[in-house]
């Protein structure tokens, strides 16, 4: 193709006497160039098109199991006492799901909670290739609203709604637990101090008894020497 293209072109060569170089000019019209470009395009387009399609098919076959993989999320909707805030932290955790796209929404009395009230919401990877997402909300101890965690995912046939089992006594339980822990520690340290003091008094008593016995023995020995 290249030789045919050259033969059909007007080739001009000009010698530069100053530096001894040659300048070659090819005079060819667009009409003559177009058939050769089309031939070149068809040849390489057919070649690379087939290579690309074959490579893509092999890649899709290799990744088919992963592409079609679906794992249902495990949902936990819990409350935890927040001693700094004086109320609760309500958290909804979805973990172990694949693919990565998930819709997790917190509802208050069947109305979506405003975004500025929610913390978290970042999509994080797990070690097994699945993903997790957590959204949390701070509420007061006197809150009487109904809270729901709603999740939609490709692995779920229907939307999954979980209502929060609210326990208003948790802050009080947390305080009681802390007080009992402190009392237990005080009892342990008190018992240890009492045992240490008792051992010290016993050691002093034994030492005093030994000293008295030694003094008595010396007195008896002195009287014997005098007689």
């Amino acid at each position: 193709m290249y030789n045919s293209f050259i033969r059909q072109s007007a080739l001009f060569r000009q010698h530069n006497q100053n530096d001894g170089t040659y300048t070659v000019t090819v005079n060819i019209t667009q009409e003559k160039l177009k058939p050769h470009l089309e031939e070149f395009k068809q040849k390489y387009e057919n070649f690379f098109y087939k290579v690309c399609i074959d490579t893509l098919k092999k890649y899709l076959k290799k990744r088919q199991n992963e592409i079609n993989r679906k794992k249902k999320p495990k949902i936990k909707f819990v409350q935890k006492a927040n001693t700094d805030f004086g109320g609760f932290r309500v958290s909804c955790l979805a973990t172990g799901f694949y693919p990565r796209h998930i819709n997790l929404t917190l509802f208050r009395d069947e109305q979506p909670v405003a975004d500025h009230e929610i913390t978290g919401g970042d999509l994080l990877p797990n070690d097994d290739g699945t993903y997790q997402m957590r959204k949390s909300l701070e509420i007061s101890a006197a809150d009487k609203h109904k809270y729901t965690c709603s999740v939609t995912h490709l692995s779920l046939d229907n939307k999954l709604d979980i209502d929060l089992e609210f326990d208003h006594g948790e802050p009080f339980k947390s305080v009681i637990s802390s007080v009992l822990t402190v009392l237990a520690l005080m009892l342990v340290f008190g018992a240890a101090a009492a045992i240490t003091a008792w051992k010290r008094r016993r050691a002093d008593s034994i030492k005093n008894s030994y000293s008295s016995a030694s003094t008595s023995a010396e007195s008896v020995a002195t009287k014997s020497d005098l007689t």
Side-chain angles (χ1 to χ4, degrees), residues 93-94 97 100 102 104 118-125 131-135:
L93 171 66
F97 57 87
R100 58 183 291 154
I102 193 171
L104 190 155
I118 296 175
T119 58
D122 296 327
L123 185 69
L124 302 175
Y131 295 89
Q132 64 170 288
M133 178 182 288
R134 181 195 301 268
K135 289 187 177 181

Side-chain angles (χ1 to χ4, degrees), residues 22-199:
Y22 287 90
T23 301
V24 179
T25 304
V26 178
N27 185 15
I28 184 172
T29 62
Q30 185 175 0
E31 289 75 13
K32 292 182 179 180
L33 181 62
K34 186 175 181 180
H36 298 284
L37 292 177
E38 288 295 332
E39 182 182 354
F40 180 84
K41 177 182 176 182
Q42 289 293 331
K43 179 179 179 180
Y44 286 94
E45 186 179 70
N46 293 337
F47 172 77
F48 285 113
Y49 179 81
K50 185 178 184 303
V51 171
C52 290
I53 294 299
D54 291 342
T55 303
L56 183 59
K57 286 181 178 179
K58 292 178 181 179
Y59 176 79
L60 291 177
K61 185 177 181 180
K62 181 179 179 181
R63 299 293 299 272
Q64 184 175 6
N65 292 335
E66 184 173 351
I67 292 173
N68 296 330
R69 176 186 175 196
K70 291 181 181 179
K71 293 201 68 175
K72 294 182 179 181
K74 299 176 182 178
I75 311 299
K76 294 182 180 179
F77 196 23
V78 296
Q79 70 179 74
K80 184 178 180 181
N82 188 339
T83 55
D84 296 333
F85 178 71
F88 300 100
R89 170 170 290 179
V90 176
S91 298
C92 183
L93 171 66
T95 185
F97 57 87
Y98 191 92
R100 58 183 291 154
H101 180 72
I102 193 171
N103 187 7
L104 190 155
T105 308
L106 295 179
F107 287 88
R108 178 191 290 125
D109 296 334
E110 300 182 357
Q111 296 296 323
V113 178
D115 290 340
H116 69 272
E117 298 183 54
I118 296 175
T119 58
D122 296 327
L123 185 69
L124 302 175
N126 292 323
D127 294 337
D128 60 356
T130 60
Y131 295 89
Q132 64 170 288
M133 178 182 288
R134 181 195 301 268
K135 289 187 177 181
S136 300
L137 173 68
E138 302 289 347
I139 62 176
S140 66
D143 197 314
K144 302 294 184 180
H145 296 287
K146 175 185 176 182
Y147 289 92
T148 304
C149 178
S150 180
V151 177
T152 56
H153 188 257
L154 289 175
S155 63
L156 300 173
D157 296 331
N158 299 301
K159 182 178 65 172
L160 182 61
D161 293 333
I162 299 179
D163 294 330
L164 178 66
E165 296 180 1
F166 204 61
D167 184 5
H168 290 280
E170 184 173 334
F172 180 73
K173 293 177 183 178
S174 178
V175 171
I176 293 297
S177 177
S178 300
V179 171
L180 291 177
T181 301
V182 172
L183 290 177
L185 291 175
M186 291 176 63
L187 181 61
V188 170
F189 285 118
I195 293 173
T196 302
W198 176 79
K199 288 182 177 181

